[in-house]
C-alpha cells in the first residue's frame, strides 16, 4: 500500500512539474511576443526603405546628368589669360592680317611703268558703253538716276570716304586703286604677264579694289602704302585696312613688316559691329541720249587738226581715246592742255596729267 502511494505521489509530482514547465513556456512566449513583433516590423521597414533607395538611385543619377552637362565652365581666376574663344571675339581681324605674306619689297629688276598695267586706260566692261571707271561711279554713288549713251553719269551724289567731302559731278572724282599700281609692282606684280597686270588694274569685280574718291585725296596718297599714308578721316581707317588686306590676299601680293604693323594699328579702330558699306554694282540708271556739241570756233574754222571736244578731267580724256603725248620736259606722257583746261600745267610744256 505504501508502495502504491509513493508511485501515485511520484506521478503526481511529475505531472505538476510538467504543468509548471508548460506554464513557464507559455508565459515566456506571451511576454516576448510584443518585442518580437516590434523587432520584425522595424526590420521590415528598414528592408523596404533600402529597396526604395535602390530604386531611386538611377533616377537621381539621370536627373543629375543634364545638370552636370549644362553647368557653365568656371571662370578663370582674376589675372589669368582669357580663353582662346574670348580672345578671337575681342580681335576678329588678326587672323585675316596674319594671312599676308611678309616680305621686303622688290621690283625683281623690272622698272615700273604705268602703261604696262593700263596701256589703254580703263577697259570697257560687258555692260554696253561702260568702262570700269563708270561702273565704279555708278556702284558707289549715294544716288544716281541717269547716264548718257556713253555711260557717263548725268547726275548723282558721291561721298569721298577718305576725307568726307561730297560731290555732285563725276569729273571731281578720281578712281583710286586701293593698292596703287606701283605698290603692287613692288609687292610681287613685277613679273606678272601683261594680261594679269591689266586684270589687276581694272578689277571692278572686287569692291575693295577700286573706289571713287576726291581727286585731292587720291593724289596726296600717290603710290604710298599705309606706313606713309592713311585716310585723313580716322573713321575710314578700318575699311581702308580691310580693303587693302583683301586686295593683297586676292592677288597674292606681299607686305612689309612695317606695313603689317601700320595695318594692325588701323584695324584697332574697327568697331565690334563693323559692316562694310554696301555698293550697288547692279544699278541700271536710265540711259539718256545726249548729242555732243562741237565748240563754236571748231565749227567756224573747220580745221580737221583741231581736237574735238573738251574734257572735264584727264580720266575723261583717257576714256575718250585721246592718245597720250610726251611733253617738252621730262619723260612723262599726258594730254594736250587745251583738251583738259581744268588740269594744271605745272611745267608749262602744253601737256597735262603726265605720268
Amino acid at each position: 500500500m505504501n508502495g502504491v502511494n509513493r508511485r501515485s505521489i511520484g506521478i503526481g509530482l511529475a505531472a505538476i512539474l510538467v504543468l509548471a514547465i508548460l506554464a513557464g513556456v507559455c508565459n515566456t512566449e506571451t511576454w516576448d511576443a510584443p518585442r518580437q513583433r516590434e523587432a520584425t516590423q522595424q526590420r521590415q521597414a528598414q528592408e523596404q526603405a533600402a529597396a526604395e533607395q535602390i530604386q531611386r538611385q538611377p533616377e537621381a543619377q539621370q536627373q543629375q546628368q543634364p545638370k552636370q552637362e549644362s553647368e557653365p565652365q568656371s571662370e578663370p581666376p582674376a589675372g589669368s589669360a582669357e580663353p582662346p574663344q574670348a580672345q578671337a571675339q575681342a580681335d576678329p581681324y588678326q587672323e585675316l592680317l596674319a594671312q599676308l605674306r611678309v616680305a621686303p619689297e622688290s621690283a625683281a629688276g623690272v622698272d615700273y611703268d604705268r602703261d604696262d598695267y593700263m596701256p589703254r586706260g580703263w577697259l570697257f566692261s560687258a555692260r554696253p558703253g561702260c568702262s570700269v571707271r563708270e561702273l565704279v561711279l555708278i556702284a558707289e554713288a549715294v544716288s544716281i538716276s541717269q547716264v548718257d549713251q556713253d555711260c557717263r553719269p548725268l547726275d548723282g551724289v558721291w561721298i569721298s570716304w577718305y576725307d568726307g567731302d561730297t560731290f555732285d559731278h563725276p569729273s571731281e572724282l578720281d578712281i583710286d586703286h586701293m593698292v596703287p599700281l606701283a605698290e603692287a609692282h613692288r609687292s610681287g606684280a613685277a613679273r606678272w604677264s601683261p594680261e594679269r597686270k591689266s586684270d589687276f588694274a581694272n578689277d571692278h569685280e572686287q569692291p575693295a579694289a577700286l573706289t571713287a574718291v576726291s581727286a585731292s585725296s587720291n593724289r596726296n596718297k600717290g603710290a604710298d602704302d599705309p606706313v606713309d599714308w592713311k585716310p585723313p578721316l580716322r573713321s575710314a581707317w578700318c575699311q581702308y585696312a580691310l580693303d587693302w588686306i583683301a586686295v593683297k590676299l586676292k592677288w597674292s601680293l606681299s607686305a612689309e613688316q612695317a606695313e603689317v604693323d601700320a595695318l594692325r594699328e588701323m584695324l584697332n579702330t574697327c568697331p565690334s559691329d563693323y559692316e562694310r558699306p554696301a555698293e550697288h554694282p547692279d544699278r541700271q540708271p536710265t540711259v539718256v541720249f545726249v548729242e555732243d556739241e562741237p565748240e563754236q570756233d571748231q565749227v567756224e574754222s573747220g580745221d580737221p587738226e583741231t581736237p574735238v571736244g573738251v574734257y572735264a578731267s584727264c580720266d575723261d580724256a583717257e576714256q575718250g581715246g585721246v592718245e597720250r603725248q610726251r611733253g617738252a620736259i621730262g619723260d612723262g606722257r599726258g594730254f594736250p592742255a587745251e583738251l583738259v583746261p581744268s588740269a594744271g600745267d605745272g611745267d608749262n610744256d602744253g601737256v597735262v596729267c603726265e605720268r
Side-chain angles (χ1 to χ4, degrees), residues 264-298:
R264 180 176 291 107
E265 176 189 0
M266 298 171 77
L267 289 176
N268 287 336
T269 67
C270 291
S272 58
D273 57 350
Y274 171 78
E275 292 184 7
R276 192 180 191 279
E279 295 187 6
H280 311 279
D282 298 328
R283 274 178 172 162
Q284 297 287 343
T286 302
V287 178
V288 178
F289 183 83
V290 178
E291 184 176 355
D292 293 333
E293 296 182 2
E295 292 185 359
Q296 187 63 29
D297 58 348
Q298 295 173 1

Side-chain angles (χ1 to χ4, degrees), residues 2-133:
N2 290 334
V4 173
N5 289 336
R6 283 195 295 269
R7 283 196 301 269
S8 299
I9 293 171
I11 292 171
L13 291 174
I16 292 172
L17 180 61
V18 170
L19 291 174
I21 293 172
L22 291 174
V25 171
C26 290
N27 290 337
T28 302
E29 290 180 354
T30 302
W31 177 262
D32 291 340
R35 295 183 179 179
Q36 291 177 353
R37 284 196 301 271
E38 183 179 355
T40 301
Q41 291 175 355
Q42 290 178 354
R43 184 171 64 255
Q44 290 175 348
Q46 292 175 353
E47 292 175 353
Q48 183 177 358
E52 291 176 354
Q53 180 66 23
I54 293 173
Q55 292 177 354
R56 287 197 300 267
Q57 187 173 1
E59 182 180 356
Q61 291 177 349
Q62 292 176 0
Q63 292 176 353
Q64 291 176 359
Q65 186 66 25
K67 182 178 180 181
Q68 292 175 356
E69 294 178 355
S70 61
E71 287 180 355
Q73 296 180 354
S74 59
E75 297 181 358
S80 63
E82 292 182 348
Q85 183 178 2
Q87 292 178 358
Q89 292 177 351
D91 195 2
Y93 307 113
Q94 296 308 312
E95 182 178 355
L96 182 67
L97 181 63
Q99 295 179 33
L100 287 175
R101 179 173 57 87
V102 181
E105 290 184 347
S106 173
V110 180
D111 292 336
Y112 168 72
D113 187 341
R114 183 181 177 89
D115 286 343
D116 291 340
Y117 292 82
M118 303 182 70
R120 298 181 300 279
W122 297 110
L123 296 181
F124 282 89
S125 68
R127 186 184 298 191
C130 296
S131 71
V132 170
R133 172 182 167 85

Side-chain angles (χ1 to χ4, degrees), residues 93 96 140 159-162 178 207-213 231 233-247 263 266-271 274-279:
Y93 307 113
L96 182 67
E140 294 193 0
I159 296 178
S160 171
W161 60 279
Y162 286 177
M178 173 54 59
L210 301 170
T211 187
V213 295
L233 282 181
R234 185 179 177 86
S235 59
W237 284 12
C238 178
Q239 179 179 338
Y240 191 86
L242 290 174
D243 286 0
W244 183 282
I245 295 170
V247 173
L263 290 169
M266 298 171 77
L267 289 176
N268 287 336
T269 67
C270 291
Y274 171 78
E275 292 184 7
R276 192 180 191 279
E279 295 187 6

